Amino acid sequence: MKVLLVGGGGREHALAWKIMQSPLCDRLYAAPGNPGIAADGGECVDIAVSDTAGLVKFAQANGVEFVVVGPENPLADGLGDAVREAGLLCFGPTKQGARIEADKVYAKTLMQHVSVPTAEARVFHDFESAKTYVLSRDHGVAVKASGLAAGKGVTVCPEPYQAIKPLEEIMLSKVFGQAGEAVLIEEMLTGQEGTVLMLTDGRTLYPLEPLQDHKAVGDGDTGPNTGGMGAYSPVPIINRKTMARIESEILVPIVDAMRRDFGRYEGVLYAGLMFTPAGPKVIEFNCRFGDPECQPLMMRFKSDLLQALLLTAQHKLEEAVVEWDPRPAVCVVMASRGYPGSYEKGFEITGIEEAEALGDVKVFHAGTAMKDGKLVNSGGRVLGVTALGETLAAAQEKAYEAVTKIQWDGAFCRGDIADKAVHAEKK
Ligand code: AMP
Ligand code: GLY
């Protein structure tokens, strides 16, 4: 079968790599794709992820039967609906389903209706009321723009007065435009964070192996938040018992709530969780795979990914069997100097082959481009250097050894990806 994968980041490279290993896959197109996907045998087509009509037209004209959508924006714009209306199979929720990520007020209301554990929150539409509220608080808060803000819409404020600046930016300067028309002010939760993803066809739920992301740019979780500087799987703090609790208290009720609200939620559901002293609580839901979480997840995914995604889209997920490599995987993101602020592009990248020659290493491209026949950096997050190892410590060591082989002017990474779990493993 011919598959069209929508997106062009590290997550999509990991999905493409795995989809192309399936005997069911005759050809994989990626729009817009990236040089890593092309190097692995995918065919990149120059159509933007926002060009819904163009993507559907391409799929129809090229005999594509199955469209897999990577990022959230096209899903929130209704690409899933357009693909299905054209009579093609789609992996990814409808526009209504994508609201679980694209409309945080909606997500919070739904969680409250079915008592899914999450931070207490109030919603505001004007700056003065929001300011009065935060100044009346004596505990930390998290300020969140309700709409999609490319992972930048959340500010955590250990002191309530620190919320004034982000509120001004969102509500007065309107830095996120419409996405900031409604703002949530949440109680600040504390604890370790973890991610649980599941495949669902709206009825059957298939939880995947747990992961942990590293959102802050600097070692020891310091500095501004990024899209994610590294991830690993599995996560020692999320054991079987905790997974069972997450499934029964969070995943099952939210999928049921969505079914009652609008019908079937299908695709992947990402639950960002905080393990508080009172148990796991939801920080956010996303309607797609995480980036970079997808990279170590695909490294450990042993079964036929294309078949699992297809069974989800065909509403036959109960037939799916997913096997995991028991070995842990660690992904270290290499980024461009200046990220998450502004950065320079166009520096030649070398050493990827040497890194992969170490064995059990895969370098996923996130922000790369070809210029005059050379591979160059073209984004903030550039590569996801991902390794398997017999233990988390071994996977971590391998990933960092691979990083030392790769160079470009201005490359940097965090030096402590998976440290928390490796320390726990050694105890
Ligand atoms: P989000 O974009 O919703 O994932 O939020 C980004 C990051 O902000 C999360 O990964 C958490 O580290 C942090 N965060 C979000 N909400 C809260 C909260 N209520 N309490 C503490 N930290 C939070
Ligand atoms: N890495 C966080 C996310 O994909 O939302």
Side-chain angles (χ1 to χ4, degrees):
M1 105 175 344
K2 291 183 185 171
V3 179
L4 171 62
L5 174 67
V6 176
R11 164 184 47 214
E12 287 76 25
H13 186 188
L15 292 171
W17 174 68
K18 208 68 215 174
I19 289 172
M20 285 188 282
Q21 290 170 19
S22 165
L24 300 171
C25 182
D26 295 319
R27 200 159 190 177
L28 179 117
Y29 298 105
N34 67 38
I37 295 175
D40 283 339
E43 205 168 308
C44 297
V45 288
D46 191 16
I47 307 173
V49 301
S50 56
D51 183 1
T52 304
L55 290 166
V56 172
K57 202 168 139 204
F58 175 86
Q60 287 177 315
N62 290 278
V64 167
E65 289 170 70
F66 188 32
V67 179
V68 177
V69 186
E72 64 277 17
N73 288 89
L75 291 168
D77 288 345
L79 179 59
D81 308 73
V83 169
R84 290 182 185 92
E85 276 158 27
L88 307 178
L89 283 167
C90 183
F91 180 84
T94 58
K95 183 176 178 145
Q96 264 181 324
R99 279 181 79 198
I100 197 74
E101 173 168 2
D103 181 348
K104 286 184 194 286
V105 173
Y106 170 74
K108 187 64 78 175
T109 309
L110 211 57
M111 283 188 264
Q112 286 166 344
H113 276 165
V114 290
S115 303
V116 164
T118 182
E120 296 290 334
R122 296 261 312 255
V123 179
F124 293 91
H125 294 92
D126 76 280
F127 173 71
E128 285 306 325
S129 327
K131 182 177 164 186
T132 307
Y133 175 70
V134 291
L135 291 178
S136 74
R137 306 288 298 170
D138 48 14
H139 288 292
V141 294
V143 175
K144 304 188 173 187
S146 181
L148 291 179
K152 299 192 181 109
V154 176
T155 311
V156 180
C157 312
E159 298 296 335
Y161 75 86
Q162 295 167 321
I164 307 292
K165 188 163 164 264
L167 287 172
E168 277 172 357
E169 284 169 1
I170 301 172
M171 304 184 99
L172 300 179
S173 310
K174 301 195 190 304
V175 291
F176 302 122
Q178 269 201 338
E181 266 178 18
V183 170
L184 282 106
I185 300 178
E186 289 189 352
E187 61 169 330
M188 189 180 101
L189 302 174
T190 50
Q192 273 212 55
E193 282 181 54
T195 302
V196 172
L197 298 156
M198 66 165 170
L199 297 177
T200 179
D201 58 10
R203 291 203 175 272
T204 303
L205 275 59
Y206 206 132
L208 307 177
E209 286 282 278
L211 297 128
Q212 196 168 59
D213 187 15
H214 297 65
K215 291 225 165 97
V217 73
D219 285 10
D221 296 329
T222 53
N225 263 349
T226 68
M229 293 300 289
Y232 66 89
S233 168
V235 183
I237 56 164
I238 312 181
N239 56 24
R240 255 176 213 285
K241 208 170 136 204
T242 312
M243 271 303 273
R245 184 168 176 190
I246 292 166
E247 199 171 333
S248 65
E249 289 181 13
I250 294 170
L251 303 180
V252 171
I254 202 72
V255 169
D256 283 350
M258 286 194 278
R259 193 169 53 234
R260 280 197 297 275
D261 192 43
F262 61 80
R264 204 185 274 278
Y265 177 92
E266 58 177 278
V268 62
L269 184 69
Y270 169 123
L273 306 168
M274 184 83 87
F275 293 88
T276 73
K281 293 193 179 183
V282 176
I283 295 177
E284 61 166 350
F285 284 118
N286 292 328
C287 64
R288 48 162 177 90
F289 285 99
D291 190 344
E293 289 95 322
C294 192
Q295 290 81 318
L297 194 68
M298 289 303 115
M299 203 73 177
R300 296 191 57 216
F301 197 99
K302 273 184 33 179
S303 308
D304 183 332
L305 177 70
L306 179 52
Q307 189 177 43
L309 302 183
L310 260 176
L311 288 171
T312 308
Q314 291 164 331
H315 307 155
K316 295 193 294 195
L317 185 57
E318 69 280 3
E319 293 175 23
V321 179
V322 176
E323 278 185 55
W324 298 98
D325 193 322
R327 290 175 298 167
V330 173
C331 169
V332 177
V333 170
M334 297 182 74
S336 302
R337 179 176 48 225
Y339 175 76
S342 58
Y343 50 84
E344 267 185 80
K345 302 177 186 182
F347 297 111
E348 186 181 358
I349 302 168
T350 58
I352 291 179
E353 280 182 17
E354 289 87 331
E356 292 188 338
L358 292 171
D360 288 330
V361 172
K362 178 71 189 167
V363 179
F364 296 111
H365 292 227
T368 67
M370 295 304 292
K371 193 174 109 188
D372 306 327
K374 289 181 178 155
L375 187 71
V376 299
N377 71 319
S378 67
R381 293 189 295 170
V382 180
L383 299 171
V385 182
T386 313
L388 286 167
E390 290 302 325
T391 58
L392 261 168
Q396 186 195 43
E397 198 180 318
K398 182 64 91 56
Y400 277 108
E401 189 187 351
V403 162
T404 63
K405 309 282 179 199
I406 301 172
Q407 270 119 28
W408 75 89
D409 188 0
F412 80 95
C413 65
R414 271 181 68 159
D416 64 346
I417 301 302
D419 261 5
K420 278 184 205 135
V422 168
H423 291 150
E425 188 181 64
K426 281 183 181 155
K427 268 187 200 157

